[in-house]
Amino acid sequence: MASKNNVMKDITALCKRRGFIFRSSEIYGGIASTYDCGPLGVELKRNVKELWWRDIVQLRPDIEGIDSAILMHPKVWIASGHVDEFVDPLVECRQCHHRFKADELKNLEQCPDCGTKDCFTEPKLFHLMFQTYMGPVQSEDSIAYLRPETAQGIYVNFENVRTPARQKVPFGIAQIGKAFRNEITPGNFTFRTREFEQMEMQYFVYPDNAEKWYKYWKSQRKEWYMSLGFKMENLHFHAHEKLAHYARAATDIEYDFPFGRSELEGIHNRGDFDLSRHQEFSGKSFEYFDQERDERYIPFIIETSGGVDRCILALLVDAYEVEPERDNPDKMRVVLKLHPKIAPVKVGIFPLVKRDGMPEIARKIESDLRRHFMVFYDDGGSIGRRYRRQDEAGTPFCITVDGQTLEDDTVTIRERDTMVQVRTKIGDIPDVVRRYTVDWERNKGLPGGK
Amino acid sequence: MASKNNVMKDITALCKRRGFIFRSSEIYGGIASTYDCGPLGVELKRNVKELWWRDIVQLRPDIEGIDSAILMHPKVWIASGHVDEFVDPLVECRQCHHRFKADELKNLEQCPDCGTKDCFTEPKLFHLMFQTYMGPVQSEDSIAYLRPETAQGIYVNFENVRTPARQKVPFGIAQIGKAFRNEITPGNFTFRTREFEQMEMQYFVYPDNAEKWYKYWKSQRKEWYMSLGFKMENLHFHAHEKLAHYARAATDIEYDFPFGRSELEGIHNRGDFDLSRHQEFSGKSFEYFDQERDERYIPFIIETSGGVDRCILALLVDAYEVEPERDNPDKMRVVLKLHPKIAPVKVGIFPLVKRDGMPEIARKIESDLRRHFMVFYDDGGSIGRRYRRQDEAGTPFCITVDGQTLEDDTVTIRERDTMVQVRTKIGDIPDVVRRYTVDWERNKGLPGGK
């Protein structure tokens, strides 16, 4: 078996090879821990975000979506506590000027980079927010930050959303968007990056009900990850004992990555910290008048804060398998057993040979299926090689147009996990894909398959 | 009739009132020309982006999607020409230190802000890219820019996309994403903002075919805007005579905004400028070997570069009408006649009264319909007021659960543009909405309506 380190290397290579994820600005040597999504990566991400939005916003009468700007008023970050709290103490080597997190060097006497002894400066606070200037003048007054989280865009808009949406407590506001943190030690491929995407939902509740809703969202969110097809044994709750300045209770949903058990999403009881702070710093009231209770209060917030890129990475790790080929057990294949509902491409379409009218029929099938979902046409190399490429892409189905197609309008349809093939009428393909998607379980195969 | 200036004011107020768009960080007084999308705005934007992605990526075998990072290697912006060319000459008033675009002050002798005469400094070049620092050390080496356009993320990934996607010239790469420009004079609501979203497609072609593809994409893109339901007379082509440093030909698709005819999207023949520059600055070859032609060349690029926020603003302007109510022509109503396929909410659901089991039936209909599309439940105030709210939201249908519903499972379904109501079986609602969406024309109403 491959070691766990090698698994991350293999997945990183697969991501580049198949066009899931690669380093940003690679032709210029890349830019530290920043990544781009290729054609498969962007579809995988779109599918996951779309499912989140559907489950959190579309299907629920009690949650509204928003999309707030990355650039916010700097006072937001004073009120949120980020300007004061979102810092790391760094020490600098006086010899080579490299900087290190103070707590990581506690027992070191020499610089890990240049080897100089007793070279460290006193720790200095380093801000994890990216800073820039807005407008034509660079001054204290024009400082702007790239938001380090999407949550504050929700809090400050509490009334701007609640009023037109006619919501009453308890209700939530959700958004998906980019955030930026100038991490000192990013790493583990896309797990910790300086630019990342969050899917966050903030649920506003009556203070006495906070504990109930905290439990509710913990279980809802774990179920949601399960619904993406994750192996149950790889998902875990981790309750925090040491809490951030804003939190009254915090649980992470963690995944068993090859580099260790790590956070996918945090569920937090933030109490009235956020709304109280924004009330204090903006001078605007965040008190809510609860008609049913005939009572005024600042709602408590239960937050579910997930990382899109982490979820994608965990899905790739979870789906990645190296296993013997069905009809040729001496040979190994690499396959991504992604849930078909998140698979970037649903159907690969191959003409058996590039003649006898097969490419024309295959192109016709391709163009019909494109109205239903993402497909991939491939006429390059042997059918075996084409299957391998789609296995690596996580494509649940490959159909082949062959001699018999010309006679009876059927194709072979080959299921990814079991590699079993059956013949199907061309017109039935969308239904086969849809029914299979609803019922999918890893390695269960097609109903009616051999 | 309202003046054109008042129309922009009215639309801005409607956007706030109904939760489409409002100022970012409003409780802190806002942050210059930065906006957030509320529940309706985010759905309108999602629908437009989804249609673009479907038409440009999903339905076309020749275009691949990507999602590249906002933070890129700084050399990208040297190669692209932005570091040298993306500047505005500014002059500063020595008295009040305000800065102005030099070309806007040409004939002015005194400061428009403080009135001082002969107060201006010599023009100084001002960079329109937002700058920040990446990593723990702030130095020349750690400068990073917020991308001023998404296009470069496509160019530098030419091979990273082409190879796994097995594409051959001609083909395209598309992406939707945020870009940032430190504009000196942003304005006109969301038309020119410092943070904005682009939907860009770069099409790589054989140089001799560039003119043909340029024409093709011009007509394709205009058709696409038409398909969103724009009034034909408000869309225009505008061919540029003065060209940017990268362009060989440029046409804008413009919209007649109340503040003047302005760009929605640019279609450009960029020649081999971009790939040649990245080849020169990265040392990596961008030559493409064309097997069919047995020839090596650097592909030319035809670009279609649209602004998501501008498109949304134009759609709101185009759909905005103030007209007499059907049964009460002395009274005016405000209505957004958005194409139902982009309308944020498809169906408003009202119980006639809050008793006799009507709310329960209405809630049941709501929860069934949520599986199909976005809906809005409203039991507040008279039916007339609830209609008015949904008219302003652009909701194509409102259904009311009334006494007869309890007897025969029918509801009234009221069409937005004509205000005509018909009775429909509850189970038929999704089909009615779908058929109407396919055939929609402004003011045509429901088939079978009176």
Side-chain angles (χ1 to χ4, degrees):
Chain A
M1 285 304 293
S3 82
K4 287 191 168 184
N5 271 343
N6 282 342
V7 168
M8 281 311 292
K9 268 192 198 159
D10 292 346
I11 288 174
T12 305
L14 182 151
C15 281
K16 169 78 195 294
R17 184 166 75 240
R18 289 270 72 84
F20 277 98
I21 302 165
F22 30 76
R23 295 169 72 197
S24 166
S25 315
E26 201 181 54
I27 61 167
Y28 293 102
I31 176 164
S33 88
T34 306
Y35 295 89
D36 294 348
C37 281
L40 297 185
V42 69
E43 295 301 334
L44 180 55
K45 222 159 127 177
R46 279 169 52 80
N47 293 342
V48 168
K49 290 192 284 185
E50 204 50 40
L51 284 169
W52 188 85
W53 195 266
R54 181 181 162 82
D55 289 340
I56 294 284
V57 180
Q58 185 183 328
L59 290 179
R60 295 189 65 118
D62 58 344
I63 302 184
E64 304 290 334
I66 68 162
D67 182 17
S68 71
I70 288 168
L71 297 169
M72 300 182 73
H73 196 290
K75 268 198 184 166
V76 170
W77 308 111
I78 298 170
S80 71
H82 281 85
V83 166
D84 285 343
E85 308 272 346
F86 202 53
V87 288
D88 257 344
L90 293 192
V91 298
E92 184 171 319
C93 166
R94 286 193 190 87
Q95 185 64 32
C96 71
H97 299 293
H98 280 189
R99 295 185 186 177
F100 307 90
K101 280 192 181 179
D103 57 358
E104 287 176 0
L105 291 189
K106 259 180 197 126
N107 300 313
L108 275 185
E109 283 172 5
Q110 59 180 61
C111 173
D113 271 15
C114 70
T116 309
K117 281 193 181 165
D118 300 324
C119 59
F120 296 119
T121 61
E122 285 300 298
K124 216 182 123 182
L125 289 179
F126 171 74
H127 254 282
L128 298 180
M129 284 197 288
F130 282 102
Q131 186 185 301
T132 188
Y133 296 96
M134 222 169 158
V137 183
Q138 285 199 7
S139 73
E140 280 296 309
D141 291 340
S142 63
I143 286 178
Y145 302 101
L146 304 191
R147 66 177 174 198
E149 61 178 31
T150 60
Q152 300 299 327
I154 292 177
Y155 306 144
V156 299
N157 282 316
F158 177 73
E159 275 303 326
N160 276 341
V161 174
R162 199 188 66 75
T163 307
R166 306 179 65 77
Q167 288 285 1
K168 292 172 184 165
V169 170
F171 78 100
I173 304 176
Q175 87 166 316
I176 297 175
K178 290 248 172 136
F180 299 81
R181 295 178 186 180
N182 198 1
E183 299 279 358
I184 310 302
T185 46
N188 286 324
F189 195 27
T190 58
F191 182 78
R192 188 179 307 279
T193 55
R194 292 186 176 130
E195 173 178 345
F196 55 99
E197 203 160 5
Q198 294 186 304
M199 32 193 186
E200 290 198 327
M201 194 281 300
Q202 312 290 329
Y203 205 75
F204 303 92
V205 304
Y206 184 60
D208 289 356
N209 292 342
E211 182 60 22
K212 180 187 88 179
W213 284 109
Y214 175 63
K215 280 188 189 152
Y216 170 84
W217 280 110
K218 268 170 56 180
S219 98
Q220 284 284 311
R221 295 305 299 148
K222 189 161 174 200
E223 266 176 48
W224 187 79
Y225 283 98
M226 305 284 294
S227 78
L228 298 183
F230 277 111
K231 292 176 190 153
M232 207 191 313
E233 66 267 29
N234 288 339
L235 289 175
H236 308 275
F237 281 130
H238 171 224
H240 283 253
E241 282 164 25
K242 209 181 138 198
L243 295 172
H245 63 278
Y246 55 76
R248 297 179 177 223
T251 297
D252 287 347
I253 296 176
E254 298 185 329
Y255 180 80
D256 285 325
F257 285 99
F259 47 80
R261 189 169 288 184
S262 308
E263 180 191 355
L264 292 181
E265 171 154 338
I267 295 107
H268 309 125
N269 175 356
R270 303 182 63 121
D272 62 359
F273 178 81
D274 306 285
L275 297 187
S276 298
R277 292 279 289 193
H278 285 301
Q279 174 166 300
E280 180 187 341
F281 282 81
S282 72
K284 303 281 188 297
S285 170
F286 276 84
E287 276 196 349
Y288 170 78
F289 177 64
D290 192 322
Q291 286 182 304
E292 282 170 40
R293 290 191 173 82
D294 194 24
E295 195 179 325
R296 270 183 200 287
Y297 54 85
I298 291 183
F300 273 31
I301 293 173
I302 309 302
E303 161 183 72
T304 71
S305 172
V308 178
D309 313 271
R310 289 178 176 193
C311 179
I312 298 302
L313 183 59
L315 285 167
L316 290 168
V317 166
D318 212 62
Y320 182 83
E321 291 194 16
V322 182
E323 61 175 27
E325 292 189 16
R326 180 179 142 102
D327 297 322
N328 190 359
D330 289 346
K331 253 185 133 178
M332 301 298 276
R333 69 162 184 161
V334 173
V335 55
L336 287 183
K337 294 183 176 172
L338 292 167
H339 194 304
K341 72 182 175 184
I342 54 170
V345 173
K346 307 304 183 201
V347 181
I349 300 157
F350 314 150
L352 184 63
V353 290
K354 283 199 234 183
R355 51 180 162 74
D356 301 339
M358 292 182 201
E360 290 74 12
I361 296 174
R363 282 292 188 189
K364 172 71 171 58
I365 296 172
E366 178 200 2
S367 108
D368 291 344
L369 290 183
R370 279 190 183 278
R371 306 198 65 80
H372 301 279
F373 30 64
M374 294 295 299
V375 300
F376 190 82
Y377 181 92
D378 192 354
D379 61 10
S382 71
I383 290 286
R385 284 183 66 178
R386 290 181 250 171
Y387 282 151
R388 290 304 93 76
R389 286 198 284 260
Q390 294 310 309
D391 284 346
E392 286 195 343
T395 305
F397 289 113
C398 292
I399 66 174
T400 304
V401 171
D402 57 18
Q404 198 177 325
T405 311
L406 309 172
E407 290 162 26
D408 65 2
D409 275 349
T410 62
V411 292
T412 65
I413 180 160
R414 180 255 201 193
E415 196 265 340
R416 178 196 63 202
D417 297 358
T418 57
M419 291 181 266
V420 167
Q421 297 176 31
V422 294
R423 285 205 83 85
T424 312
K425 279 269 169 199
I426 289 171
D428 293 341
I429 299 168
D431 267 355
V432 170
V433 176
R434 275 201 206 97
R435 269 182 286 131
Y436 170 85
T437 300
V438 172
D439 290 337
W440 183 80
E441 275 173 45
R442 197 183 287 232
N443 298 328
K444 199 180 72 168
L446 254 179
K450 290 147 226 165
Chain B
M1 287 303 295
S3 80
K4 286 189 167 184
N5 271 343
N6 282 342
V7 168
M8 281 311 293
K9 267 192 199 160
D10 292 347
I11 288 174
T12 306
L14 182 151
C15 281
K16 169 79 195 294
R17 184 166 74 241
R18 288 269 73 82
F20 278 98
I21 302 166
F22 30 75
R23 296 169 73 198
S24 166
S25 315
E26 202 180 53
I27 60 167
Y28 292 103
I31 175 165
S33 90
T34 305
Y35 295 88
D36 294 348
C37 281
L40 297 186
V42 68
E43 296 300 335
L44 180 56
K45 223 161 128 177
R46 281 169 51 81
N47 292 342
V48 168
K49 291 192 282 183
E50 205 51 40
L51 284 170
W52 189 85
W53 195 265
R54 180 179 162 84
D55 289 340
I56 294 285
V57 180
Q58 185 182 329
L59 290 179
R60 296 189 62 117
D62 58 343
I63 301 184
E64 304 290 334
I66 69 163
D67 182 16
S68 71
I70 288 168
L71 298 168
M72 300 182 74
H73 196 291
K75 270 199 183 165
V76 170
W77 308 111
I78 298 170
S80 71
H82 282 85
V83 167
D84 285 343
E85 307 272 347
F86 203 54
V87 290
D88 257 344
L90 294 191
V91 298
E92 185 172 318
C93 166
R94 286 194 190 84
Q95 186 63 35
C96 72
H97 299 292
H98 280 191
R99 295 186 186 176
F100 306 92
K101 280 192 182 179
D103 57 358
E104 287 177 358
L105 291 188
K106 257 178 200 129
N107 299 313
L108 275 185
E109 283 172 3
Q110 59 179 57
C111 174
D113 270 17
C114 69
T116 310
K117 281 192 183 169
D118 300 323
C119 60
F120 296 118
T121 60
E122 284 301 297
K124 217 181 123 183
L125 289 180
F126 171 74
H127 254 283
L128 298 179
M129 283 196 289
F130 282 101
Q131 186 185 302
T132 188
Y133 295 96
M134 221 169 158
V137 184
Q138 284 199 8
S139 72
E140 280 297 308
D141 292 339
S142 62
I143 286 178
Y145 301 102
L146 305 191
R147 66 176 174 199
E149 61 179 30
T150 59
Q152 300 300 326
I154 291 177
Y155 306 144
V156 299
N157 282 317
F158 177 72
E159 275 302 324
N160 275 342
V161 173
R162 200 189 65 76
T163 307
R166 305 179 66 77
Q167 288 285 359
K168 291 172 185 165
V169 169
F171 78 100
I173 304 176
Q175 88 166 314
I176 297 175
K178 290 248 173 136
F180 299 81
R181 295 179 187 179
N182 199 1
E183 299 279 359
I184 310 302
T185 47
N188 286 325
F189 196 26
T190 58
F191 182 79
R192 189 179 306 281
T193 55
R194 293 187 175 128
E195 173 177 343
F196 55 100
E197 202 160 7
Q198 295 186 304
M199 33 193 185
E200 290 199 326
M201 194 280 302
Q202 312 291 327
Y203 205 74
F204 302 91
V205 304
Y206 184 60
D208 289 356
N209 292 342
E211 183 59 22
K212 180 187 88 181
W213 284 111
Y214 175 61
K215 280 186 189 154
Y216 169 86
W217 280 110
K218 268 169 57 181
S219 97
Q220 284 283 311
R221 294 306 300 148
K222 189 163 174 197
E223 267 176 47
W224 187 79
Y225 284 98
M226 305 284 294
S227 78
L228 297 184
F230 277 112
K231 292 176 190 152
M232 208 193 311
E233 65 268 28
N234 288 339
L235 289 175
H236 308 276
F237 281 130
H238 171 224
H240 283 253
E241 281 162 27
K242 211 182 137 198
L243 295 171
H245 64 279
Y246 54 77
R248 296 179 178 224
T251 296
D252 286 348
I253 295 175
E254 298 185 331
Y255 180 79
D256 286 325
F257 286 98
F259 47 79
R261 190 169 288 181
S262 307
E263 179 192 356
L264 291 182
E265 170 154 337
I267 295 107
H268 309 123
N269 175 356
R270 302 182 65 121
D272 62 358
F273 177 81
D274 306 285
L275 297 187
S276 298
R277 292 278 289 194
H278 285 301
Q279 174 166 299
E280 181 187 339
F281 282 81
S282 72
K284 303 280 189 298
S285 171
F286 276 85
E287 277 196 348
Y288 170 77
F289 178 63
D290 191 322
Q291 285 183 303
E292 282 170 39
R293 290 191 173 81
D294 194 24
E295 196 179 324
R296 270 183 200 288
Y297 54 84
I298 290 183
F300 274 32
I301 292 173
I302 309 302
E303 162 182 72
T304 71
S305 172
V308 178
D309 313 271
R310 289 178 177 194
C311 180
I312 298 303
L313 182 60
L315 285 167
L316 290 168
V317 167
D318 212 62
Y320 182 84
E321 292 193 16
V322 182
E323 60 174 28
E325 291 187 17
R326 181 179 141 101
D327 297 323
N328 191 358
D330 290 345
K331 251 185 139 179
M332 301 297 277
R333 68 162 185 161
V334 173
V335 55
L336 286 184
K337 295 184 175 173
L338 291 167
H339 194 305
K341 72 182 175 184
I342 55 169
V345 173
K346 308 304 184 201
V347 181
I349 301 157
F350 314 151
L352 183 63
V353 290
K354 284 198 234 184
R355 51 179 162 75
D356 302 338
M358 292 182 201
E360 291 73 13
I361 295 174
R363 282 292 188 191
K364 173 70 171 58
I365 295 172
E366 177 200 3
S367 108
D368 290 345
L369 289 183
R370 279 191 184 277
R371 306 198 65 79
H372 300 279
F373 30 64
M374 293 296 297
V375 301
F376 190 84
Y377 181 93
D378 191 355
D379 61 10
S382 71
I383 289 287
R385 283 182 67 178
R386 290 181 249 171
Y387 282 150
R388 288 306 92 76
R389 286 199 283 261
Q390 293 310 308
D391 284 345
E392 286 195 343
T395 305
F397 290 112
C398 292
I399 66 175
T400 304
V401 171
D402 57 17
Q404 199 176 324
T405 310
L406 308 171
E407 290 162 27
D408 65 3
D409 275 347
T410 62
V411 291
T412 66
I413 179 160
R414 180 254 200 192
E415 195 265 343
R416 177 196 63 202
D417 298 357
T418 58
M419 292 180 265
V420 166
Q421 297 177 32
V422 294
R423 285 205 83 86
T424 311
K425 278 268 169 201
I426 289 171
D428 292 342
I429 300 168
D431 268 354
V432 171
V433 176
R434 275 201 206 97
R435 269 183 287 129
Y436 170 84
T437 301
V438 172
D439 290 337
W440 183 81
E441 275 172 46
R442 197 183 286 234
N443 298 329
K444 200 180 72 170
L446 254 179
K450 292 147 223 165

